[in-house]
Amino acid sequence: QSALTQPPSASGSPGQSVAISCTGTSSDIGGYNYVSWYQQYPGRAPKLMIYDVSKRPSGVPDRFSGSKSGNTASLTVSGLQTEDEAYYYCSSYGGSSNLVFGGGTKLTVL
Amino acid sequence: EVHLVESGGGLVQPGGSLRLSCAASGFTFSLYWMSWVRQAPGRGLEWVANINTDGSGKYFVDSVKGRFTISRDNAKNSLYLEMNSLRVEDTAVYYCALNNNWRFDPWGQGTLVTVSS
């Protein structure tokens, strides 16, 4: 049940693209296609942005995309907008009906 | 619209107990796993517990095993988290969430639990 590893911060200018990585192990990210990404504004509840590695819930802009290679998942935000400035958390199923989150990444839009 | 509302948070002394509730609406509650996730002040998200549809399967993060229990009342569309032997490090906002194949959506607004003497 070790936390997934995310960079503490990421940044980009409006209109640019930024990728946030999430590294786990073969027991979580590498073993299952149940990676999700959540967006959280300070003082607010998290919001699901990506699930099953690369699927977008209804209402989430297609500027948000997800992928996975081996034990590392990535969230890419294209065409950055000021409202994308928030914290982003990855999660993965970890087997035995357990779930693990990443430590979170603060995305700053410069 | 799917809606989750937590309640029951508050200030409790170390070693004390607290019971959180989560009222669900807008979906067939009995068909879905449910989960609790917490967030300590200024920290990241931590999965706490899952419960399956009929309550026969309960799963916990190691740090709360033996102290917390999760339950549900499908007739009342409600989820619960019973927290005993509380520690200072259990201080956090506790969220309930609908667990649909390991994607948590939606989340409640959260309830703050503060463990302090």
Side-chain angles (χ1 to χ4, degrees):
Chain A
Q1 295 178 336
S2 298
L4 306 174
T5 301
Q6 295 182 238
S9 63
S11 63
S13 299
Q16 288 186 332
S17 293
V18 63
I20 299 171
S21 63
C22 172
T23 301
T25 69
S26 58
S27 296
D28 37 63
I29 291 177
Y32 308 94
N33 288 323
Y34 291 127
V35 176
S36 297
W37 289 90
Y38 301 88
Q39 177 190 64
Q40 186 182 36
Y41 296 112
R44 303 290 297 275
K47 174 188 174 184
L48 178 69
M49 303 300 284
I50 295 288
Y51 68 97
D52 293 355
V53 176
S54 59
K55 297 177 181 176
R56 266 189 320 276
S58 174
V60 172
D62 59 7
R63 303 184 294 102
F64 291 85
S65 62
S67 63
K68 186 185 88 166
S69 177
N71 298 336
T72 299
S74 297
L75 172 72
T76 299
V77 186
S78 305
L80 271 174
Q81 299 184 4
T82 54
E83 59 262 36
D84 299 333
E85 185 164 298
Y87 288 86
Y88 292 85
Y89 295 90
C90 61
S91 73
S92 174
Y93 178 63
S96 301
S97 298
N98 291 343
L99 190 106
V100 62
F101 282 99
T105 298
K106 179 175 171 52
L107 175 61
T108 301
V109 181
L110 302 170
Chain B
E1 181 189 0
V2 177
H3 205 46
L4 299 171
V5 179
E6 302 93 337
S7 60
L11 174 64
V12 61
Q13 291 189 339
S17 298
L18 210 56
R19 188 195 199 206
L20 306 183
S21 298
C22 172
S25 61
F27 66 103
T28 306
F29 182 73
S30 60
L31 295 182
Y32 292 94
W33 284 48
M34 295 294 295
S35 298
W36 287 97
V37 177
R38 67 183 178 183
Q39 186 170 34
R43 305 295 296 274
L45 302 173
E46 180 183 36
W47 167 72
V48 174
N50 296 327
I51 188 168
N52 67 358
T53 55
D54 65 3
S56 62
K58 304 176 183 183
Y59 311 91
F60 300 92
V61 67
D62 286 347
S63 59
V64 308
K65 283 180 181 176
R67 301 188 299 121
F68 289 14
T69 188
I70 187 172
S71 62
R72 64 191 297 163
D73 186 334
N74 286 343
K76 295 183 177 180
N77 290 344
S78 293
L79 174 72
Y80 306 100
L81 186 68
E82 188 81 37
M83 303 183 295
N84 299 312
S85 302
L86 281 162
R87 305 168 180 168
V88 170
E89 54 266 33
D90 294 318
T91 294
V93 174
Y94 285 74
Y95 296 99
C96 67
L98 191 164
N99 179 345
N100 186 359
N101 269 359
W102 309 109
R103 63 181 184 263
F104 291 179
D105 182 43
W107 300 54
Q109 87 287 351
T111 187
L112 176 63
V113 172
T114 302
V115 184
S116 174
S117 55

